[in-house]
């Protein structure tokens, strides 16, 4: 799949609070970039809209809709059971983290 095929128009972005990757248009403040963002329904820290995921109360980073070009879902981890490690089954817990040395 080509890189551009994964990006989608902002109109289709989920507005359920899930984190997504967004492309920010270039502006006078700098070149275009990618950020991790989510839709906020609004709270004491700000109104409804897109926020950078590293926002915190008192330091909310909001994006106006026209600032955002497109979005992409977060890549998911491959949780295939064949790639998962086996569970720890040794009875001696002192061997964990090398503590039995």
């Amino acid at each position: 799949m080509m890189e551009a095929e994964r990006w989608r128009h902002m109109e289709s972005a989920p507005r359920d609070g899930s984190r997504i990757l967004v492309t920010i248009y270039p502006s006078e403040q700098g070149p275009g970039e990618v950020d991790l963002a989510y839709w906020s329904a609004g709270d004491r820290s700000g109104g409804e809209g897109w926020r950078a995921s590293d926002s915190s109360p008192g330091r909310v980073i909001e994006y106006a809709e026209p600032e955002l070009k497109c979005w992409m879902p977060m890549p998911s981890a491959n949780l295939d059971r064949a790639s998962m490690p086996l569970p720890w089954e040794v009875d001696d817990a002192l061997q964990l983290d090398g503590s039995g040395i």
Side-chain angles (χ1 to χ4, degrees):
M1 172 172 23
M2 291 177 43
E3 184 73 21
E5 291 177 330
R6 295 190 291 177
W7 290 100
R8 301 174 183 150
H9 293 283
M10 285 305 296
E11 296 85 31
S12 66
R15 294 177 186 242
D16 60 2
S18 57
R19 283 161 169 54
I20 59 173
L21 295 174
V22 293
T23 296
I24 304 162
Y25 279 108
S27 68
E28 298 83 31
Q29 286 78 33
E33 59 183 49
V34 173
D35 197 2
L36 183 61
Y38 67 97
W39 178 261
S40 172
D43 55 24
R44 295 183 343 183
S45 299
E48 181 178 75
W50 294 105
R51 292 185 183 176
S53 65
D54 55 353
S55 292
S56 60
R59 304 196 95 178
V60 175
I61 302 166
E62 294 181 321
Y63 294 114
E65 194 82 30
E67 291 180 276
L68 303 177
K69 184 175 186 177
C70 53
W71 74 281
M72 175 190 303
M74 287 292 298
S76 61
N78 180 5
L79 297 178
D80 180 11
R81 296 295 288 164
S83 67
M84 297 292 287
L86 295 174
W88 179 264
E89 293 182 356
V90 178
D91 290 334
D92 189 0
L94 291 176
Q95 292 182 19
L96 287 171
D97 297 322
S99 59
I101 296 175

